Tab-separated table of all heavy atoms in Angstrom:
chain	number	residue	atom	x	y	z
A	1	ARG	N	40.508	47.555	-35.549
A	1	ARG	CA	39.276	48.305	-35.285
A	1	ARG	C	38.703	47.986	-33.913
A	1	ARG	O	38.216	48.870	-33.223
A	1	ARG	CB	38.213	47.968	-36.356
A	1	ARG	CG	38.596	48.354	-37.774
A	1	ARG	CD	38.651	49.855	-37.969
A	1	ARG	NE	38.944	50.195	-39.365
A	1	ARG	CZ	40.159	50.343	-39.862
A	1	ARG	NH1	41.211	50.167	-39.059
A	1	ARG	NH2	40.354	50.657	-41.126
A	2	THR	N	38.773	46.715	-33.520
A	2	THR	CA	38.123	46.276	-32.286
A	2	THR	C	39.150	46.147	-31.170
A	2	THR	O	39.881	45.155	-31.091
A	2	THR	CB	37.423	44.914	-32.502
A	2	THR	OG1	36.618	44.971	-33.676
A	2	THR	CG2	36.570	44.566	-31.298
A	3	ARG	N	39.216	47.158	-30.313
A	3	ARG	CA	40.185	47.139	-29.218
A	3	ARG	C	39.694	46.223	-28.112
A	3	ARG	O	38.533	46.290	-27.703
A	3	ARG	CB	40.381	48.554	-28.670
A	3	ARG	CG	40.800	49.572	-29.731
A	3	ARG	CD	42.155	49.251	-30.307
A	3	ARG	NE	42.449	50.082	-31.478
A	3	ARG	CZ	43.565	49.993	-32.181
A	3	ARG	NH1	44.488	49.115	-31.843
A	3	ARG	NH2	43.770	50.748	-33.242
A	4	ILE	N	40.588	45.357	-27.605
A	4	ILE	CA	40.177	44.407	-26.581
A	4	ILE	C	40.980	44.536	-25.290
A	4	ILE	O	40.452	44.300	-24.208
A	4	ILE	CB	40.264	42.955	-27.102
A	4	ILE	CG1	41.649	42.668	-27.697
A	4	ILE	CG2	39.172	42.682	-28.107
A	4	ILE	CD1	41.827	41.222	-28.148
A	5	TYR	N	42.261	44.917	-25.379
A	5	TYR	CA	43.077	45.029	-24.163
A	5	TYR	C	44.370	45.770	-24.488
A	5	TYR	O	44.952	45.571	-25.551
A	5	TYR	CB	43.405	43.633	-23.610
A	5	TYR	CG	44.001	43.642	-22.223
A	5	TYR	CD1	43.209	43.872	-21.102
A	5	TYR	CD2	45.366	43.428	-22.031
A	5	TYR	CE1	43.747	43.876	-19.830
A	5	TYR	CE2	45.921	43.435	-20.763
A	5	TYR	CZ	45.101	43.654	-19.661
A	5	TYR	OH	45.646	43.667	-18.399
A	6	ASN	N	44.808	46.616	-23.558
A	6	ASN	CA	46.069	47.354	-23.746
A	6	ASN	C	46.099	48.123	-25.070
A	6	ASN	O	47.159	48.253	-25.683
A	6	ASN	CB	47.270	46.403	-23.694
A	6	ASN	CG	47.673	46.067	-22.272
A	6	ASN	OD1	47.264	46.732	-21.322
A	6	ASN	ND2	48.463	45.025	-22.118
A	7	HIS	N	44.943	48.618	-25.506
A	7	HIS	CA	44.830	49.356	-26.770
A	7	HIS	C	45.166	48.484	-27.982
A	7	HIS	O	45.447	49.010	-29.062
A	7	HIS	CB	45.732	50.597	-26.764
A	7	HIS	CG	45.505	51.504	-25.589
A	7	HIS	ND1	44.347	52.229	-25.450
A	7	HIS	CD2	46.265	51.784	-24.503
A	7	HIS	CE1	44.414	52.938	-24.319
A	7	HIS	NE2	45.562	52.673	-23.722
A	8	LYS	N	45.146	47.172	-27.820
A	8	LYS	CA	45.437	46.262	-28.921
A	8	LYS	C	44.133	45.699	-29.473
A	8	LYS	O	43.145	45.562	-28.754
A	8	LYS	CB	46.355	45.134	-28.446
A	8	LYS	CG	47.713	45.657	-27.976
A	8	LYS	CD	48.590	44.551	-27.435
A	8	LYS	CE	49.919	45.105	-26.938
A	8	LYS	NZ	50.804	44.050	-26.382
A	9	SER	N	44.141	45.373	-30.759
A	9	SER	CA	42.910	44.954	-31.432
A	9	SER	C	42.849	43.447	-31.624
A	9	SER	O	43.877	42.765	-31.722
A	9	SER	CB	42.798	45.644	-32.796
A	9	SER	OG	43.793	45.174	-33.683
A	10	ILE	N	41.621	42.942	-31.717
A	10	ILE	CA	41.420	41.520	-31.972
A	10	ILE	C	41.917	41.146	-33.367
A	10	ILE	O	42.439	40.060	-33.584
A	10	ILE	CB	39.915	41.152	-31.812
A	10	ILE	CG1	39.721	39.646	-31.949
A	10	ILE	CG2	39.063	41.894	-32.840
A	10	ILE	CD1	40.360	38.843	-30.857
A	11	GLU	N	41.792	42.075	-34.317
A	11	GLU	CA	42.264	41.809	-35.684
A	11	GLU	C	43.780	41.567	-35.694
A	11	GLU	O	44.264	40.644	-36.352
A	11	GLU	CB	41.916	42.972	-36.607
A	11	GLU	CG	40.439	43.189	-36.832
A	11	GLU	CD	39.793	44.079	-35.788
A	11	GLU	OE1	40.483	44.487	-34.826
A	11	GLU	OE2	38.595	44.380	-35.937
A	12	ALA	N	44.506	42.405	-34.968
A	12	ALA	CA	45.963	42.282	-34.927
A	12	ALA	C	46.388	40.993	-34.225
A	12	ALA	O	47.290	40.277	-34.688
A	12	ALA	CB	46.567	43.490	-34.219
A	13	THR	N	45.731	40.681	-33.112
A	13	THR	CA	46.081	39.481	-32.357
A	13	THR	C	45.814	38.213	-33.167
A	13	THR	O	46.638	37.294	-33.206
A	13	THR	CB	45.293	39.432	-31.039
A	13	THR	OG1	45.644	40.567	-30.230
A	13	THR	CG2	45.604	38.161	-30.260
A	14	LEU	N	44.662	38.159	-33.831
A	14	LEU	CA	44.332	36.985	-34.644
A	14	LEU	C	45.275	36.851	-35.834
A	14	LEU	O	45.677	35.741	-36.197
A	14	LEU	CB	42.883	37.068	-35.121
A	14	LEU	CG	41.813	36.892	-34.038
A	14	LEU	CD1	40.425	37.067	-34.637
A	14	LEU	CD2	41.940	35.537	-33.361
A	15	ALA	N	45.635	37.982	-36.444
A	15	ALA	CA	46.573	37.940	-37.570
A	15	ALA	C	47.942	37.444	-37.118
A	15	ALA	O	48.594	36.644	-37.807
A	15	ALA	CB	46.694	39.325	-38.204
A	16	GLY	N	48.386	37.915	-35.962
A	16	GLY	CA	49.662	37.455	-35.428
A	16	GLY	C	49.640	35.980	-35.107
A	16	GLY	O	50.593	35.249	-35.412
A	17	PHE	N	48.547	35.518	-34.511
A	17	PHE	CA	48.401	34.094	-34.193
A	17	PHE	C	48.409	33.241	-35.461
A	17	PHE	O	49.104	32.226	-35.539
A	17	PHE	CB	47.097	33.877	-33.420
A	17	PHE	CG	46.660	32.441	-33.363
A	17	PHE	CD1	47.345	31.522	-32.575
A	17	PHE	CD2	45.572	32.006	-34.097
A	17	PHE	CE1	46.951	30.188	-32.537
A	17	PHE	CE2	45.168	30.675	-34.062
A	17	PHE	CZ	45.863	29.763	-33.271
A	18	ALA	N	47.653	33.659	-36.475
A	18	ALA	CA	47.557	32.883	-37.720
A	18	ALA	C	48.891	32.818	-38.445
A	18	ALA	O	49.317	31.750	-38.910
A	18	ALA	CB	46.488	33.488	-38.623
A	19	THR	N	49.572	33.956	-38.549
A	19	THR	CA	50.857	33.998	-39.249
A	19	THR	C	51.909	33.157	-38.539
A	19	THR	O	52.657	32.399	-39.169
A	19	THR	CB	51.349	35.444	-39.380
A	19	THR	OG1	50.376	36.225	-40.068
A	19	THR	CG2	52.670	35.511	-40.132
A	20	THR	N	51.956	33.295	-37.222
A	20	THR	CA	52.936	32.543	-36.450
A	20	THR	C	52.662	31.042	-36.521
A	20	THR	O	53.582	30.232	-36.673
A	20	THR	CB	52.911	33.005	-34.978
A	20	THR	OG1	53.132	34.420	-34.926
A	20	THR	CG2	54.001	32.317	-34.184
A	21	SER	N	51.395	30.670	-36.425
A	21	SER	CA	51.034	29.255	-36.523
A	21	SER	C	51.459	28.674	-37.870
A	21	SER	O	52.020	27.573	-37.941
A	21	SER	CB	49.522	29.068	-36.339
A	21	SER	OG	49.110	29.467	-35.052
A	22	ALA	N	51.195	29.415	-38.946
A	22	ALA	CA	51.546	28.945	-40.285
A	22	ALA	C	53.054	28.755	-40.422
A	22	ALA	O	53.523	27.767	-41.005
A	22	ALA	CB	51.040	29.930	-41.333
A	23	ALA	N	53.826	29.690	-39.881
A	23	ALA	CA	55.286	29.582	-39.970
A	23	ALA	C	55.800	28.400	-39.150
A	23	ALA	O	56.694	27.659	-39.586
A	23	ALA	CB	55.930	30.882	-39.496
A	24	LEU	N	55.226	28.196	-37.966
A	24	LEU	CA	55.698	27.121	-37.092
A	24	LEU	C	55.360	25.733	-37.624
A	24	LEU	O	55.983	24.747	-37.217
A	24	LEU	CB	55.115	27.288	-35.687
A	24	LEU	CG	55.665	28.455	-34.864
A	24	LEU	CD1	55.112	28.404	-33.444
A	24	LEU	CD2	57.184	28.457	-34.840
A	25	LEU	N	54.382	25.645	-38.514
A	25	LEU	CA	54.037	24.345	-39.094
A	25	LEU	C	55.216	23.731	-39.845
A	25	LEU	O	55.270	22.517	-40.033
A	25	LEU	CB	52.839	24.488	-40.044
A	25	LEU	CG	51.479	24.740	-39.379
A	25	LEU	CD1	50.414	24.981	-40.436
A	25	LEU	CD2	51.090	23.566	-38.482
A	26	PHE	N	56.147	24.574	-40.285
A	26	PHE	CA	57.329	24.083	-40.994
A	26	PHE	C	58.438	23.651	-40.022
A	26	PHE	O	59.451	23.093	-40.444
A	26	PHE	CB	57.873	25.155	-41.932
A	26	PHE	CG	56.942	25.497	-43.061
A	26	PHE	CD1	56.092	26.580	-42.954
A	26	PHE	CD2	56.900	24.727	-44.211
A	26	PHE	CE1	55.219	26.908	-43.995
A	26	PHE	CE2	56.029	25.033	-45.242
A	26	PHE	CZ	55.188	26.129	-45.142
A	27	LEU	N	58.233	23.927	-38.727
A	27	LEU	CA	59.286	23.667	-37.755
A	27	LEU	C	58.917	22.612	-36.724
A	27	LEU	O	59.782	21.852	-36.266
A	27	LEU	CB	59.664	24.967	-37.024
A	27	LEU	CG	60.098	26.141	-37.906
A	27	LEU	CD1	60.333	27.378	-37.043
A	27	LEU	CD2	61.358	25.793	-38.680
A	28	ILE	N	57.651	22.573	-36.330
A	28	ILE	CA	57.202	21.654	-35.284
A	28	ILE	C	55.845	21.072	-35.666
A	28	ILE	O	55.184	21.591	-36.575
A	28	ILE	CB	57.102	22.371	-33.910
A	28	ILE	CG1	56.211	23.613	-34.013
A	28	ILE	CG2	58.479	22.743	-33.394
A	28	ILE	CD1	56.053	24.369	-32.697
C-alpha cells in the first residue's frame, strides 16, 4: 500500500527482510 521507491512498498520490503532474516538464522 505504501510506495516508497521504484514503485515498491514498505510492506513488501519489510516482509522480505523479515522472511530472509528468519531463514538465515538457521545458517549463520
Side-chain angles (χ1 to χ4, degrees):
R1 297 292 183 271
T2 311
R3 304 296 170 181
I4 52 176
Y5 192 76
N6 279 345
H7 306 291
K8 297 177 182 179
S9 68
I10 185 66
E11 294 87 356
T13 298
L14 290 177
F17 164 72
T19 302
T20 304
S21 297
L24 289 186
L25 288 175
F26 294 96
L27 304 176
I28 55 180

